[in-house]
Amino acid sequence: MSAVREQPLGIDELLDRVRETYERIEARAAYDAARDDDALLVDIRYAALRDRDGLIPGALVVERNELEWRLDPRGSHRAPEATGHDLRVVVICNEGYASTLAAASLHRLGLHRATDLVGGFQAWKAAGLPVTS
């Protein structure tokens, strides 16, 4: 008797499935939440994009490959901002794709309020929100 093999997911399908598990946030709402100290903005873009396009004032910059280590509230390498599992984290990549997978990874670490920015940094910038060089 042979087992039925499940077809592998493509990236678009994977993103759709992951995004069904939490509510994403738009740029203006993320700005308001950060301003009201209700969210920690975390920029995971790589250095060349930050150099090219600028930074979001007040956002914690964490390279994607360090994200889980820096935001795990129980981790030995955590950032001081990683204060607990109830922390609302808004992950920001360039266009809102890599941030979805990063937010899902944070959920697996118990950061149940983690989300990502729809459209990423580019949506932030297009909304006319603050950017510094």
Side-chain angles (χ1 to χ4, degrees):
M1 183 171 173
S2 65
V4 176
R5 287 182 71 153
E6 191 173 316
Q7 289 293 327
L9 295 177
I11 188 62
D12 293 329
E13 241 184 332
L14 177 61
L15 288 172
D16 288 344
R17 286 191 186 183
V18 168
R19 288 172 177 165
E20 290 174 357
T21 65
Y22 65 91
E23 188 174 333
R24 301 178 78 208
I25 192 168
E26 298 284 341
R28 175 58 63 177
Y31 171 79
D32 291 343
R35 184 194 62 215
D36 296 341
D37 290 327
D38 185 40
L40 173 65
L41 305 180
V42 180
D43 187 345
I44 64 168
R45 294 174 302 140
Y46 53 90
L49 289 177
R50 295 191 312 267
D51 291 346
R52 181 189 78 187
D53 293 337
L55 299 169
I56 295 172
L60 175 65
V61 174
V62 177
E63 296 281 339
R64 172 62 190 99
N65 64 326
E66 297 179 0
L67 184 69
E68 291 81 0
W69 283 268
R70 303 292 287 150
L71 291 183
D72 178 1
R74 299 184 317 174
S76 59
H77 293 86
R78 74 173 181 81
E81 295 87 347
T83 56
H85 288 95
D86 288 333
L87 180 65
R88 184 177 185 198
V89 175
V90 178
V91 183
I92 303 167
C93 68
N94 192 49
E95 295 182 339
Y97 298 103
S99 57
T100 293
L101 301 177
S105 182
L106 294 178
H107 277 253
R108 288 191 295 276
L109 282 177
L111 291 154
H112 61 94
R113 296 180 69 204
T115 188
D116 74 307
L117 184 64
V118 176
F121 178 85
Q122 296 306 320
W124 180 280
K125 191 172 178 182
L129 296 170
V131 174
T132 62
S133 44

